[in-house]
Amino acid sequence: MAINFNRAEFVLSAASAKQFVRDGRAQIVFAGRSNVGKSSVINRLVNRKNFARVGATPGKTAQINYFLIDGKCYLVDLPGYGYAKVSQAERERWGQLMESYFQSEGLVTLGVQIVDSRHKPTADDITMYEWFKSTGCPVIIVANKLDKLKKSEIEPNLQRIRETLELSEEDLLVPFSAEKGLGKEQLISAITDLME
Ligand code: GDP
């Protein structure tokens, strides 16, 4: 299925299970640690600046944003995790929302997990990856901020991500730079292939 990512519109923000969208369209679900560049990756995919923040109310970290892509499928933006300055109450809201999201059957068609190519994936990254795998959906790992690596660091760092997350053979690891636009075509074609 060809998907035109340039045709993207904000639909709604869900703060609880009753707002989760279920209309039969496929759902591509994006997750990542706060500051990993998740919004930048999404903005790069849809070719717009400040797009992924459109639905986000400042301070509201515990909500799931839905964007309709090309009238065909949803891009689902899960709230970022691991941000040190978030209050305990907000952290708990995040946990409850994620629990109800991943306990709901049939929401995730494809997971896209964004990690920082400079660092070893965190314990939270591993948990998120396992949540995706528990749904049985395919997962694409996006190693963002590749432009910050020296050439000689790229392969070892990608290998460290594979090993730490214990990626299976069928999981794709896409080196990416939201800043430079690197990896965009590979990510779009991987998403498109997996949606067929
Ligand atoms: P989010 O919290 O995961 O949505 O992260 P943002 O998209 O807001 O990005 C966090 C910071 O990382 C911003 O200062 C971005 O400009 C920067 N950033 C995001 N992607 C890249 C990248 O590929 N390369 C570099 N050098 N910086 C990036």
Side-chain angles (χ1 to χ4, degrees), residues 35-40 53 144-145 147-148 177-179:
N35 227 31
V36 73
K38 179 159 57 64
S39 308
S40 303
R53 298 225 184 270
N144 192 36
K145 306 199 182 184
D147 57 285
K148 295 213 176 197
S177 165
E179 178 123 330

Side-chain angles (χ1 to χ4, degrees), residues 1-129:
M1 173 169 64
I3 305 165
N4 181 1
F5 278 86
N6 294 334
R7 287 192 62 215
E9 56 182 295
F10 172 72
V11 178
L12 63 86
S13 294
S16 68
K18 59 182 183 298
Q19 296 167 304
F20 296 162
V21 174
R22 293 178 177 279
D23 65 1
R25 288 187 178 94
Q27 309 207 10
I28 314 165
V29 183
F30 282 65
R33 196 167 47 75
S34 291
N35 227 31
V36 73
K38 179 159 57 64
S39 308
S40 303
V41 171
I42 294 171
N43 290 341
R44 179 56 80 172
L45 278 186
V46 302
N47 259 330
R48 276 192 248 169
K49 286 186 175 162
N50 300 319
F51 178 77
R53 298 225 184 270
V54 168
T57 319
K60 286 254 173 154
T61 56
Q63 57 184 21
I64 297 173
N65 293 318
Y66 286 84
F67 303 95
L68 185 61
I69 307 292
D70 204 12
K72 291 177 179 161
C73 58
Y74 290 101
L75 190 162
V76 182
D77 185 12
L78 297 184
Y81 48 84
Y83 187 51
K85 286 183 190 148
V86 164
S87 70
Q88 187 60 25
E90 190 68 10
R91 216 176 286 270
E92 278 165 21
R93 265 200 296 281
W94 180 89
Q96 280 162 7
L97 185 65
M98 288 302 98
E99 215 165 280
S100 65
Y101 187 79
F102 282 100
Q103 276 169 5
S104 306
E105 298 273 313
L107 288 178
V108 186
T109 311
L110 166 64
V112 178
Q113 184 169 359
I114 300 159
V115 297
D116 191 321
S117 61
R118 294 170 297 175
H119 308 305
K120 185 177 159 131
T122 65
D124 288 338
D125 289 331
I126 296 171
T127 301
M128 183 56 75
Y129 175 71

Side-chain angles (χ1 to χ4, degrees), residues 144-187:
N144 192 36
K145 306 199 182 184
L146 202 81
D147 57 285
K148 295 213 176 197
L149 292 184
K150 293 195 199 103
K151 214 163 186 196
S152 62
E153 293 172 325
I154 294 175
E155 261 324 304
N157 282 32
L158 293 176
Q159 190 53 30
R160 182 170 61 173
I161 292 167
R162 282 195 172 284
E163 281 167 9
T164 309
L165 294 178
E166 298 179 20
L167 295 191
S168 47
E169 282 297 314
E170 68 267 24
D171 293 333
L172 265 169
L173 176 60
V174 178
F176 203 93
S177 165
E179 178 123 330
K180 308 275 184 223
L182 197 119
K184 179 183 162 181
E185 297 314 319
Q186 192 191 350
L187 180 56

